[in-house]
Amino acid sequence: MKKLISVVTACYNEEENVELLYNEVKKVFEKLTDYEYEHIFIDNASKDRTVPLLKEIASKDKNVKIIVNVRNFGHIRSPFYGLLQARGDAVISLVADFQDPPSMIPDFIKKWEEGYKIVVGVKNQSEENPILFAIRKFYYKILQDLSEVNQIENFTAFGLYDQRIIEILRTIDDPYPYMRGLISEIGYDIYQIEYIQPVRKRGKTKNNFYSLYDMAMLGITNNSKVPLRLAALTGFGLAIISLVVAFVYTIYKLIYWDSFTVGIAPLVIGLFFFSSVQLFFIGVIGEYVGSIQTQVLKRPLVIERERINFK
């Protein structure tokens, strides 16, 4: 009996790419004759023609399955939920904009057949804006240094996951999961395949500053307590420095009572400095509190409007 490979693609307003991606994936599996496949598209309530196009494709090809969400549940929850719906012996996460090359699917499957439960793509280079890529690399480096578990640098969740890994993910009751960190947290050996990330095929990226910041902070708060401990250590250190400076000023004033004047400038500078430090770490604590609130509310990953071609 042939093994089943599930390809999962999350999409939102990708009318220019979904049909092209479907055709590319189909061509790949036409050459992989030893496997059956299903291509699951999970749509985040697109406002363009993405869903009608997918329904047209699905009516002609039963390998294509569609999940349509009732609303946009964000770029974190929807892709994760899509992976959990896959029933294949191996599951491949693939974005709709061609920045995850479908041509790498055979390489993933080959390494999976060699025994690896997790095979991921790592973008060692990118054709995107070099400044943006450098910022991403810097972030991954910081996350690696802060995390308690060894993280995969330059990893976007693009890869193949054995069904055993998917079963483990199903047991994780997390309403706002950081997929990239969870893969490292599970602890299985991970085979990394380097690739050059291409630019988006067509259309405009749906990422903005807020979504990128959200992902970045989620990675840190889910994988490290260092910022919280840094806040405590910084507060303690500044308190010691303040006491030392106060003591020195007092002694200096006693010795040079008539000639030494403190002035208002050091007070103003000190006030603004300490206030900014406090606000920064209140923000850090707020991120952790927000993460806790998300966990406590236990809202569903997504709510489906409809499914197509699922048995």
Side-chain angles (χ1 to χ4, degrees), residues 117-143:
K117 300 293 185 185
I118 304 173
V119 186
V120 301
V122 175
K123 51 178 183 177
N124 60 338
Q125 297 181 52
S126 177
E127 296 175 357
E128 67 177 343
N129 185 303
I131 297 176
L132 184 59
F133 183 65
I135 293 173
R136 292 182 192 272
K137 288 193 70 172
F138 179 66
Y139 165 74
Y140 286 123
K141 180 64 177 174
I142 292 176
L143 182 61

Side-chain angles (χ1 to χ4, degrees), residues 2-279:
K2 293 182 179 181
K3 294 180 180 178
L4 176 66
I5 307 297
S6 297
V7 178
V8 179
T9 299
C11 49
Y12 175 70
N13 291 347
E14 293 288 356
E15 63 180 2
E16 295 176 289
N17 289 315
V18 287
E19 190 169 3
L20 289 173
L21 182 66
Y22 156 73
N23 288 325
E24 286 296 318
V25 171
K26 185 177 180 180
K27 288 177 184 177
V28 169
F29 280 97
E30 284 175 350
K31 298 176 182 177
L32 297 172
T33 55
D34 294 334
Y35 302 92
E36 294 180 346
Y37 87 102
E38 62 178 5
H39 195 166
I40 301 173
F41 288 88
I42 178 164
D43 183 83
N44 232 346
S46 292
K47 301 182 184 304
D48 61 2
R49 296 187 62 251
T50 299
V51 173
L53 285 172
L54 288 174
K55 286 182 176 180
E56 183 179 344
I57 294 170
S59 67
K60 301 174 183 177
D61 188 346
K62 299 304 178 183
N63 291 323
V64 175
K65 301 180 179 181
I66 308 170
I67 300 172
V68 182
N69 299 335
V70 296
R71 68 170 179 85
N72 188 338
F73 285 90
H75 63 293
I76 293 173
R77 291 188 284 178
S78 187
F80 186 82
Y81 181 81
L83 290 175
L84 302 186
Q85 310 313 304
R87 61 184 180 89
D89 298 287
V91 182
I92 297 173
S93 175
L94 194 69
V95 296
D97 60 8
F98 283 88
Q99 287 196 290
D100 296 345
S103 60
M104 292 180 64
I105 290 176
D107 298 326
F108 289 159
I109 295 176
K110 180 181 178 182
K111 288 300 175 183
W112 172 61
E113 291 288 16
E114 291 177 7
Y116 289 96
K117 300 293 185 185
I118 304 173
V119 186
V120 301
V122 175
K123 51 178 183 177
N124 60 338
Q125 297 181 52
S126 177
E127 296 175 357
E128 67 177 343
N129 185 303
I131 297 176
L132 184 59
F133 183 65
I135 293 173
R136 292 182 192 272
K137 288 193 70 172
F138 179 66
Y139 165 74
Y140 286 123
K141 180 64 177 174
I142 292 176
L143 182 61
Q144 173 75 312
D145 292 340
L146 293 179
S147 296
E148 299 169 1
V149 177
N150 190 38
Q151 299 292 314
I152 309 171
E153 294 187 32
N154 305 316
F155 168 54
T156 62
F158 171 44
L160 178 148
Y161 310 100
D162 186 87
Q163 183 60 227
R164 171 60 184 151
I165 303 301
I166 302 300
E167 290 173 0
I168 294 171
L169 293 177
R170 290 191 183 107
T171 66
I172 298 174
D173 187 16
D174 189 342
Y176 209 63
Y178 183 68
M179 176 69 178
R180 306 172 193 185
L182 286 176
I183 294 305
S184 299
E185 186 76 31
I186 288 171
Y188 276 86
D189 290 337
I190 300 172
Y191 191 89
Q192 301 180 26
I193 300 178
E194 293 186 346
Y195 71 102
I196 299 175
Q197 184 187 49
V199 295
R200 164 179 272 272
K201 190 82 169 180
R202 294 180 178 179
K204 295 181 179 180
T205 180
K206 310 307 180 295
N207 288 327
N208 51 37
F209 174 79
Y210 176 79
S211 64
L212 294 175
Y213 175 82
D214 184 42
M215 180 70 77
M217 292 307 300
L218 182 64
I220 293 174
T221 56
N222 275 24
N223 292 281
S224 178
K225 299 183 184 71
V226 171
L228 289 174
R229 289 168 180 164
L230 183 62
L233 291 173
T234 301
F236 179 76
L238 289 175
I240 296 296
I241 293 172
S242 299
L243 287 173
V244 171
V245 170
F247 180 76
V248 170
Y249 262 75
T250 301
I251 298 300
Y252 206 81
K253 180 63 177 176
L254 291 173
I255 295 174
Y256 302 99
W257 186 269
D258 295 325
S259 59
F260 179 69
T261 56
V262 176
I264 196 67
L267 295 176
V268 173
I269 294 171
L271 176 64
F272 277 93
F273 173 71
F274 285 112
S275 297
S276 61
V277 170
Q278 286 179 328
L279 287 173

